[in-house]
Amino acid sequence: MRSWSTVATVALVLWLLYRLNPNPAMVETITQLEFYRLLDEGKIRGKVIRYIDRDEGSTYLAGERELDRLDDKGMPVKSPYRVILVPGENEEMMNDLFDRQIDVEVREKRSAISPFVSQLIFFLAFMGLFYWFFARRMGGEGGPFGFGKSRAKMLTGKEDKKKVTFADCAGIDEAKEEVQEIIEFLKKPERFRKLGGRIPKGVLLVGPPGTGKTLLAKAIAGEAQVPFFAISGSDFEEMFVGVGASRMRDMFAEAKKRAPCIVFIDEIDSIGQKRTGAGALGGSHAYEQTLNTMLVEMDGFDANEGVIVIAATNRPDTLDAALLRPGRFDRQVTVELPTLKGRTDILNLHGRKIKFAADADLSRVARGTPGFSGADLANLLNEAALLATRKGLDGVDMATLEEARDKVMWGRERRSAGYSQRERETTAWHEAGHAVLQVLLPNADPLHKVTIIPRGRALGATMALPEKDVLNHTKSFFLDQIVICCGGRIAEEYLTGDISTGAAQDIRQATDIARQMVCTFGMSDKFGFQAFSEPGQFTAAELPPAFSEATSQAIDAEVTRIVETAYAKAKKILDENRSAVEKLAAALLERETMDGSDVRRIMENA
Ligand code: ADP
Ligand code: ZN
């Protein structure tokens, strides 16, 4: 019985290995440009297969194409190809394929190694399998189908071999400094202990998505030259009750064996959320089990053992308090969105691999991307490189960088999506209203660009270009900002005599700013130097209402007054400059996108 299953297993594994390593000799690698040319000529046959690597995202596309030769039946000869993709984002290209109604099938990446190496691996795997199997039998442990240890091993967190160092993270110098101590400890635990340093068991990295938390954790491991185990809180979402907890235990067991090392838990909020009252009764909620297991594991080892748990979240406020107790994640390191200098550094870092045209100015790109995360910036450069390839440019130029920036910021252009001429006109007037105010108001940032090309959910956009990152806004800036928000609707009304839903976003923004001025920044005449918790910030159970019903009504009245005053001001300015709005709208309809200097020129002549 046993030997029969041996043969079956060996056969199965061999067959799988064979399937994973077909002979790749005949596949021709073509460029993206070539691929697009073939698409245009209709020579890409059948579906396209997109190979995904778990760590790197898309890696290449493959499929069959027609050659210019005919076979003996007079049919075009078909031949396999593949296209290497820029690692990271390729959504633009995928959307293109979708638009062209080409079927794209996604598969896990096959090994891209040469036939010789793959045969070698094949052979070694074969030998290894035999060795493993017979050693097992001698030892008398459970066979390969036993639900014992082998299965648990498969489920442990994966260890990452690629070395990332501090040189790969830019613009987060403060965070790097804060984790320096941990690196010292991991490098020389003995010495660190002698000097009496206290080492945290758990470090919580807090910051918005894409700011480099994962990157930083990897870099800590890389700098200290210790193993790195990673697992994501969201991985547990699909797990059966009990499996998540056992996986957590296995990972810690493995980590302890490999100490000193780093265990990284991404998106810890998805398992570490505040436990609700109801859950306490129900008992075995799957996440709760996983969370408890993690806490037990963390409590169960001494900080000196050298396993450091690093967790990342962008919502520290939702975490269960038990996680933050001493001896658990009692150290927090904030990873902020990059500043202007940080963005410049990140762009320069990721830009090393890219060829630029002479006019490309990354510091200007950095100025135009406030609020972008490191991941957004990396994405912007990838997108720009891709666009430049498709345009057939020798290097990425400034115009392409700006286009990529807009794409990342606004999502994909929706050129064809049912956009009537009437809507275009309304949008042109709407944006002209914003733009004229942006130029005329003394406390607003300079106008960068205005466009009526729809992107994402917005039909158009007016963008400002702050001279530098501002951490501290003034009251007059906020007031002008609200006035600018009002301009869209007022200008629309000039054209149509009616109002539309196009201003919904503006209305929301104006109201938000006004409310924050009153409640958070102490900028209203009525309340002055006072703060009020805003609705929705706390749940009723957590905090008694901070103010009376009468105050609440007064706040609402104050917000209304600010917005109404701003609206009146916007109306007055635009009425006085109506011809400028009109001229600008006409120019926008013709040119779709204009930058600040064009707009100012038109306004001077209006
Ligand atoms: P998070 O874990 O905070 O969501 P990641 O570490 O996963 O962010 O960042 C995703 C990618 O974005 C990184 O692999 C890197 O290419 C880029 N990136 C993000 N932040 C930085 C940074 N500070 N320096 C360099 N690259 C960055
Ligand atoms: Zn608007």
Side-chain angles (χ1 to χ4, degrees), residues 10 13 135 144 150 168 295 362 386 415 489 505-506 606:
V10 170
V13 170
S150 56
D168 300 304
L295 295 178
L362 289 181
L386 199 65
R415 276 205 196 80
R489 166 162 288 185
Q505 202 54 39
D506 299 333

Side-chain angles (χ1 to χ4, degrees), residues 430-431 434 460-462 484-485 487-489 492 502-507 509:
H430 179 114
E431 297 306 330
H434 287 312
T462 300
I484 294 169
C485 287
R489 166 162 288 185
E492 258 182 59
Q505 202 54 39
D506 299 333
I507 295 170
Q509 201 185 341

Side-chain angles (χ1 to χ4, degrees), residues 168-172 207-216 264 266 312 335 338 346 349-350 373-376 378:
D168 300 304
C169 329
I172 45 173
T211 44
K213 298 183 291 298
T214 312
L215 199 65
L216 184 65
F264 178 66
D266 203 359
V335 185
I346 295 173
L349 181 75
H350 286 271
S373 68
D376 291 334

Side-chain angles (χ1 to χ4, degrees), residues 21-28 82 111-115 118:
N21 290 285
N23 181 3
M26 302 199 10
V27 183
E28 192 183 341
R82 75 169 162 195
S111 79
I113 37 187
S114 77
S118 70

Side-chain angles (χ1 to χ4, degrees), residues 36-54:
Y36 271 100
R37 194 178 59 77
L38 291 170
L39 267 180
D40 288 338
E41 289 173 5
K43 288 196 173 142
I44 294 297
R45 295 288 297 260
K47 65 185 171 204
V48 171
I49 299 166
R50 175 189 185 186
Y51 286 95
I52 305 272
D53 181 298
R54 273 182 192 238

